[in-house]
Amino acid sequence: MSSDLPYIVAWSRILEIGPVKFGQMLAAFGLAGNAWQASDSEFRQFGWGPETLPKILQQRKTINVEKEFERCQKQGVTLLVSSDEKYPKLLKEIH
C-alpha cells in the first residue's frame, strides 16, 4: 500500500477535484500528501477561479485524512489508483 493512498482518498472526497485538477496537483506537488500539506496560497498557481478554489480549500480543512482512510478499510473498500497493476487499462484512457 502506498503511504500516499490516505491522501488520495481524502482528495477524492472533495467534489470539485476530478482527474484533471488532481493531475495538476500531482504535477506541481509530486504526491497527494504534499498537496494536502501545501499552503492555501500555493494553490493559486492553478487558476481554478474565485468560486472553486475557496470551496476546495474549505473542504480540505474539514476532512480528517486518517478517519476517511480508516472508514474505507472498515467497510472493506478495495482502493485502486491508476498506478496499481490491478487498475483497469481502459479506465486509464479516459478522464
Side-chain angles (χ1 to χ4, degrees):
M1 177 188 74
S2 165
S3 62
D4 208 37
L5 193 54
Y7 293 100
I8 294 170
V9 169
W11 281 116
S12 74
R13 301 289 294 146
I14 298 177
L15 296 176
E16 290 80 11
I17 298 292
V20 173
K21 286 184 176 76
F22 189 72
Q24 290 174 324
M25 287 190 310
L26 290 183
F29 300 116
L31 296 169
N34 293 343
W36 196 267
Q37 302 301 326
S39 69
D40 289 2
S41 63
E42 291 179 88
F43 282 87
R44 290 192 182 99
Q45 67 180 303
F46 301 118
W48 289 343
E51 292 182 21
T52 302
L53 184 57
K55 288 179 184 178
I56 291 169
L57 298 176
Q58 180 57 38
Q59 289 177 74
R60 181 177 67 158
K61 292 175 185 171
T62 64
I63 295 171
N64 183 307
V65 174
E66 293 81 20
K67 284 186 179 182
E68 286 297 325
F69 188 65
E70 286 174 12
R71 187 169 63 96
C72 289
Q73 290 181 314
K74 285 178 183 177
Q75 293 179 357
V77 174
T78 301
L79 300 166
L80 293 176
V81 294
S82 60
S83 60
D84 192 308
E85 64 184 36
K86 294 179 182 178
Y87 194 85
K89 290 181 183 181
L90 291 176
L91 284 179
K92 290 182 182 183
E93 298 176 16
I94 60 173
H95 296 253

